[in-house]
């Protein structure tokens, strides 16, 4: 059981399936997460002061609060969630050092909790114990939400009740304080950073206690009514049910929408479902970067206007990519539509995975699509340079928890069979069905599927998602061959129904030809440019591969074909795309950087240049330098 476990009365079309990721692309990334990223968490939380603050509150240490933000407790809880999902794998040491660290920190959290259930080290240590006096910035409910999610993960992974007991006491405390104005509760309010809402839904799913679902519904519906001053930044400008597009702080918006989708799933609220579908469609059509990244502005980490998708100033926070995956997965389960998993794939391989280095030790908070020549900043929360940790360290443990639970976002089942949303080497299991997958995707487009277990008394449907980026595909199932010319895919699913037997094989072949992508002409930042893609991967140029100058003056020759080259020696083994281009001959600027647009003299001759594009997720893993995704063509 993963981060989303549907309730018994859920109105979802699909339910999460069990997937064992054994090798391949995501197997490697998860192994780095398990062996390097997660184990280093306690040491980093110790050095940053997060654990020290809990000890201060528990009365087992002396000193001053460390960390500088009221939400530093949440980093501990996100790490606990990541570690819990890792323990659920049974590897690498379910009874070893990782389990011991989890037990130690869970005990510390329990000691820090106050008798009535409240817990927030910032307010307990720096605000004299005052509570809920700064809902816009205090993040008390945000931290509570991450504690609840960690507790649910810990309980599902280990069966132990210690952290779940802490979460239940905190949730009951919140329920005793917050409620509608006519409820007799002390406060009618919301947190400036949504998070507790989807956590409360999951606590309902774990405990069966309806009061947590009702509390989540209360919070979701109170956003947009001016309780925090009516600002879009904290989702308070317009009620979600009335909104026409996503706005404000990207992570806040996406967490709120994930909660709304959870509520629609559990209650059958058709108005909430319609709002979620409407906002998802508007977001993907007008406010989503090529990489799946979300958030146009460094200022307030928020969405911009429709088609406002900058390159070097793109924010695209790693946490926003994670929130996008979480929301889209809930939408995929609720509706059964493949388009949500199309966005999950794009985001996972690009906007999300770029957020962690290949060695699992360094991170990006923001994920721009261009870094200009001469960019030499030395790191930090808003830097385009990988950093060991951040003052605001929300992203690293968030990456850890998504990678540790990734198998729960890959496949689903229903009464009719098994749906494979993402292709990985491993086993997919749902309702007596087990299918083994072997693939070198995304480097190769061949996906081999073998039925290992299947009901013998009934037909069922194996549904394969055909990616929206794809062109030609072919499926061999026994003696039958399907392709795009005679197979109606329509909604993104290729459905194969029959009475399957162990040993039956299906081979899906997706065309992985490199391609050039142009943006909607309303995206001003990339007009006259194209990007290179291959399969689900977005590509970029890095300065290290193009000596003799930076990238600002490089022009792509679109009349020449693209070629792929697998490089096992490069960046842990990647497929590069080789293209033709040249360096634009630009005259030196005297004092005025503009020229007569009607000048007719021919530009100086340019020497041809071979361009090497690498997958975007792998940039910033060698040396500092410029990078760009969108390439000029004239």
């Amino acid at each position: 059981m993963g981060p989303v476990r549907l309730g018994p009365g859920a109105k979802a079309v699909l339910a999460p399936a069990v997937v064992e990721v054994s090798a391949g692309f995501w197997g490697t990334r998860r192994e780095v997460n398990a062996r390097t990223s997660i184990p280093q968490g306690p040491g980093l939380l110790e050095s940053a002061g997060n654990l020290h603050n809990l000890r201060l509150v528990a009365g087992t240490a002396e000193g001053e609060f460390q960390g500088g933000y009221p939400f530093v407790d949440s980093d501990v809880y996100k790490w606990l969630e990541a570690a819990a999902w890792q323990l659920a794998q049974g590897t690498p040491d379910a009874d070893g050092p990782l389990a011991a660290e989890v037990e130690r920190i869970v005990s510390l959290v329990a000691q820090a909790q106050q008798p009535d259930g409240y817990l927030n080290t910032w307010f307990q240590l720096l605000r004299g114990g005052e509570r809920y006096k700064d809902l816009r910035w205090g993040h008390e409910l945000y931290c509570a939400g991450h504690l609840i999610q960690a507790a649910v993960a810990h309980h599902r992974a280990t069966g132990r009740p210690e952290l779940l007991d802490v979460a239940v006491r905190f949730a009951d405390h919140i329920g005793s304080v917050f409620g509608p104005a006519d409820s007799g509760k002390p406060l009618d309010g919301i947190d400036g950073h949504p998070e507790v809402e989807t956590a409360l839904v999951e606590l309902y799913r774990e405990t069966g206690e309806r009061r947590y679902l009702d509390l989540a519904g209360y919070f979701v519906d109170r956003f947009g009514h001016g309780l925090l001053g009516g600002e879009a930044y904290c989702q308070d400008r317009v009620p979600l049910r009335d909104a026409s597009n996503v706005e404000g702080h990207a992570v806040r918006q996406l967490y709120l929408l994930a909660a709304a989708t959870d509520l629609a799933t559990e209650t059958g609220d058709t108005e909430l479902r319609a709002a979620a579908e409407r906002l998802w469609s508007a977001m993907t059509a007008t406010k989503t970067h090529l990489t799946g990244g979300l958030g146009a502005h460094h200022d307030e980490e928020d969405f911009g206007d429709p088609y406002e998708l900058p390159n070097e100033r793109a924010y695209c926070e790693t946490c926003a990519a994670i929130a996008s995956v979480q929301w889209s997965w809930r939408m995929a389960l609720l509706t059964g539509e493949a388009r949500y998993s199309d966005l999950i794939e794009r985001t996972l391989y690009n906007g999300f995975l770029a957020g962690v280095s290949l060695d699992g030790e360094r991170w990006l908070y923001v994920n721009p699509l261009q870094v200009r020549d001469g960019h030499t900043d030395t790191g930090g929360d808003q830097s385009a340079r990988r950093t060991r940790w951040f003052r605001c360290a929300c992203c690293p443990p968030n990456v850890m928890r998504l990678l540790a639970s990734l198998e729960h976002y890959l496949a689903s089942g229903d009464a009719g069979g098994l749906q494979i949303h993402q292709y990985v080497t491993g086993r997919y299991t749902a309702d007596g069905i087990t299918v083994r997958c072997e693939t070198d995707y995304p480097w190769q487009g061949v996906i081999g599927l073998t039925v290992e277990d299947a009901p013998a008394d009934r037909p069922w449907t194996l549904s394969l998602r055909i990616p929206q980026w794809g062109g030609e595909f072919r499926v061999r199932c026994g003696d039958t061959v399907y392709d795009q010319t005679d197979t109606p895919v329509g909604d993104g699913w290729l459905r194969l129904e029959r009475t399957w037997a162990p040993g039956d094989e299906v081979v899906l072949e997706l065309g992985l030809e490199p391609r050039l992508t142009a943006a909607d002409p309303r995206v001003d930042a990339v007009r006259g440019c194209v990007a290179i893609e291959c399969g689900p991967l977005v590509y970029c140029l890095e300065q290290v591969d193009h000596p003799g100058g930076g990238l600002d003056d490089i022009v792509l020759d679109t009349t020449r074909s693209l070629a792929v080259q697998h490089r096992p020696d490069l960046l842990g083994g990647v497929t590069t795309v080789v293209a033709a281009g040249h360096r634009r001959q630009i005259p030196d600027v005297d004092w005025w950087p503009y020229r007569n647009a009607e000048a007719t003299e021919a530009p100086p001759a340019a020497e041809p240049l071979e361009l090497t594009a690498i997958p975007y997720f792998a940039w910033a893993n060698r040396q500092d330098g410029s990078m760009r995704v969108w390439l000029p063509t004239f």
Side-chain angles (χ1 to χ4, degrees):
M1 295 183 293
V4 178
R5 187 187 74 176
L6 303 179
K11 308 305 187 291
V13 174
L14 308 175
V18 177
V19 182
E20 173 194 350
V21 182
S22 58
F25 183 91
W26 287 110
T28 298
R29 302 314 311 155
R30 282 162 52 83
E31 178 69 13
V32 171
N33 190 52
R35 294 288 182 182
T36 301
S37 298
I38 292 176
Q40 72 183 357
L44 292 166
L45 293 168
E46 197 70 74
S47 62
N50 306 64
L51 300 181
H52 168 75
N53 297 333
L54 288 166
R55 284 193 290 269
L56 288 178
V57 170
T60 59
E62 296 181 354
E64 297 181 351
F65 181 92
Q66 298 178 19
Y69 290 113
F71 49 82
V72 294
D73 294 354
S74 65
D75 299 334
V76 177
Y77 306 145
K78 280 183 280 189
W79 182 86
L80 279 173
E81 184 183 349
W85 294 129
Q86 190 57 49
L87 289 176
Q89 312 297 318
T91 57
D93 51 4
D95 299 315
L98 181 61
E101 287 282 40
V102 169
E103 184 176 354
R104 176 177 72 90
I105 296 174
V106 167
S107 177
L108 177 57
V109 171
Q111 293 174 54
Q113 186 173 37
Q114 295 196 309
D116 66 353
Y118 182 85
L119 175 56
N120 185 288
T121 61
W122 168 274
F123 287 92
Q124 289 170 251
L125 293 170
L126 297 184
R127 295 295 183 90
E130 74 174 16
R131 304 172 180 182
Y132 312 121
K133 300 296 186 182
D134 185 9
L135 287 172
R136 187 178 188 277
W137 292 109
H139 288 68
E140 289 157 283
L141 302 185
Y142 168 82
C143 290
H146 278 301
L147 171 57
I148 292 168
Q149 289 180 317
V152 168
H154 183 253
H155 190 249
R156 289 176 181 171
T158 68
R160 298 182 61 166
E162 296 91 339
L163 194 57
L164 188 64
D165 289 345
V166 173
V168 165
R169 287 198 298 273
F170 203 168
D172 287 343
H173 163 74
I174 294 168
S176 73
V177 173
F178 288 89
D182 60 356
S183 67
K185 302 289 180 65
L187 277 176
D188 179 16
I190 51 176
D191 195 284
H193 197 310
E195 160 60 31
V196 74
E197 298 79 14
T198 193
L200 285 167
V201 175
E202 212 59 44
L203 187 61
Y204 153 74
R205 290 166 170 166
E206 189 67 9
T207 65
E209 297 291 342
R210 174 78 187 201
R211 64 183 182 273
Y212 302 131
L213 185 67
D214 293 340
L215 185 57
Y218 155 73
F219 281 132
V220 166
D221 276 333
R222 292 304 284 144
F223 282 92
H225 292 280
L227 297 179
L228 298 175
E231 291 183 69
Y233 173 79
C234 44
Q235 307 307 310
D236 197 36
R237 189 185 69 85
V238 60
L240 186 148
R241 296 172 185 270
D242 300 328
S244 60
N245 207 333
V246 293
E247 64 177 22
H249 187 282
V251 179
R252 286 166 163 83
Q253 173 75 93
L254 297 168
Y255 281 172
L256 181 61
L257 285 163
T261 305
D262 278 332
L263 285 164
T265 298
E266 294 298 335
T267 67
D269 189 320
T270 56
E271 189 177 47
L272 271 183
R273 171 174 172 160
E277 291 177 329
R278 178 175 69 250
L279 293 171
W280 191 93
S281 295
M283 179 187 78
T284 53
T286 67
K287 296 191 178 184
T288 303
H289 285 80
L290 183 69
T291 58
L294 296 165
H297 296 162
H298 281 240
D299 183 31
E300 297 194 333
E301 303 179 331
D302 67 355
F303 290 102
D305 292 327
Y307 306 103
E308 184 186 356
L309 298 169
N311 289 324
E312 65 234 72
R313 292 300 294 170
Y315 202 70
C316 296
E317 182 183 344
T318 300
C319 281
I322 293 166
S324 173
V325 170
Q326 293 171 340
W327 178 34
S328 287
W329 180 239
R330 287 162 169 80
M331 293 297 293
L333 297 176
L334 176 60
T335 67
E337 296 179 19
R339 60 178 177 151
Y340 300 108
S341 291
D342 283 330
L343 181 58
I344 289 173
E345 179 183 63
R346 176 170 293 277
T347 305
L348 282 175
Y349 279 102
N350 302 289
F352 162 70
L353 194 54
V356 57
S357 63
L358 296 176
D359 61 12
E361 295 185 352
R362 295 168 297 134
W363 313 88
L364 287 174
Y365 193 116
V366 300
N367 296 276
L369 280 72
Q370 181 177 357
V371 177
R372 286 192 176 275
D373 298 347
H375 192 98
T376 57
D377 66 88
T378 56
D381 292 6
Q382 296 189 342
S383 169
R385 294 289 168 260
R386 297 194 183 275
T387 304
R388 185 84 168 96
W389 202 243
F390 301 108
R391 184 168 178 261
C392 175
C394 54
C395 295
N398 219 2
V399 172
M400 295 177 200
R401 71 174 181 141
L402 180 56
L403 281 173
S405 62
L406 185 64
E407 70 271 19
H408 300 289
Y409 295 88
L410 305 178
S412 63
D414 61 7
L418 172 70
Q419 304 84 37
I420 299 181
H421 296 247
Q422 310 298 336
Y423 298 108
V424 300
T425 295
R427 284 180 171 80
Y428 303 81
T429 302
D431 192 24
I433 301 165
T434 299
V435 175
R436 186 179 77 250
C437 180
E438 299 285 342
T439 183
D440 197 22
Y441 188 81
W443 310 127
Q444 300 291 332
V446 179
I447 298 152
L449 302 163
T450 304
V451 176
E452 293 191 335
D453 289 301
D457 59 344
R458 61 178 174 88
W460 55 273
T461 301
L462 176 62
S463 299
L464 308 178
R465 182 180 61 87
I466 304 301
Q468 58 82 218
W469 53 259
E472 296 183 355
F473 71 90
R474 185 172 68 166
V475 175
R476 289 184 282 113
C477 182
D479 295 329
T480 306
V481 176
Y482 307 89
D483 62 27
Q484 66 282 350
T485 61
D486 58 10
T487 304
V489 177
D491 61 357
W493 293 109
L494 175 66
R495 296 180 173 88
L496 305 173
E497 182 182 7
R498 64 192 61 200
T499 300
W500 301 84
D504 285 350
E505 296 183 348
V506 175
V507 178
L508 168 62
E509 299 176 8
L510 297 172
L512 292 187
E513 297 299 320
R515 62 191 184 276
L516 296 179
T517 300
D520 187 290
R522 287 168 286 189
V523 183
D524 290 334
V526 296
R527 193 174 291 118
C529 297
V530 296
I532 298 172
E533 296 188 87
C534 188
L537 299 174
V538 174
Y539 278 71
C540 68
L541 302 188
E542 271 201 296
Q543 185 175 348
V544 65
D545 297 312
H546 302 88
L551 302 180
D552 289 353
D553 59 352
I554 281 182
V555 177
L556 180 71
D557 185 349
T558 59
T559 67
R560 304 282 294 278
S561 61
L562 305 173
V564 296
Q565 180 181 6
H566 191 66
R567 294 280 304 276
D569 60 318
L570 181 65
L571 295 164
V574 298
T575 294
T576 63
V577 175
V578 179
H582 64 267
R583 291 194 183 278
R584 192 198 316 261
Q585 301 299 305
I586 303 175
D588 291 337
V589 173
D590 183 7
W591 69 277
W592 190 244
Y594 304 98
R595 295 290 180 269
N596 184 351
E598 298 178 357
T600 57
E601 63 179 273
E607 295 185 6
L609 180 67
E610 183 178 273
L611 307 178
T612 298
I614 65 165
Y616 173 78
F617 75 79
W619 83 278
N621 277 279
R622 290 175 288 176
Q623 66 184 45
D624 289 350
S626 52
M627 178 276 296
R628 67 185 306 161
V629 169
W630 291 98
L631 306 173
T633 60
F634 55 84

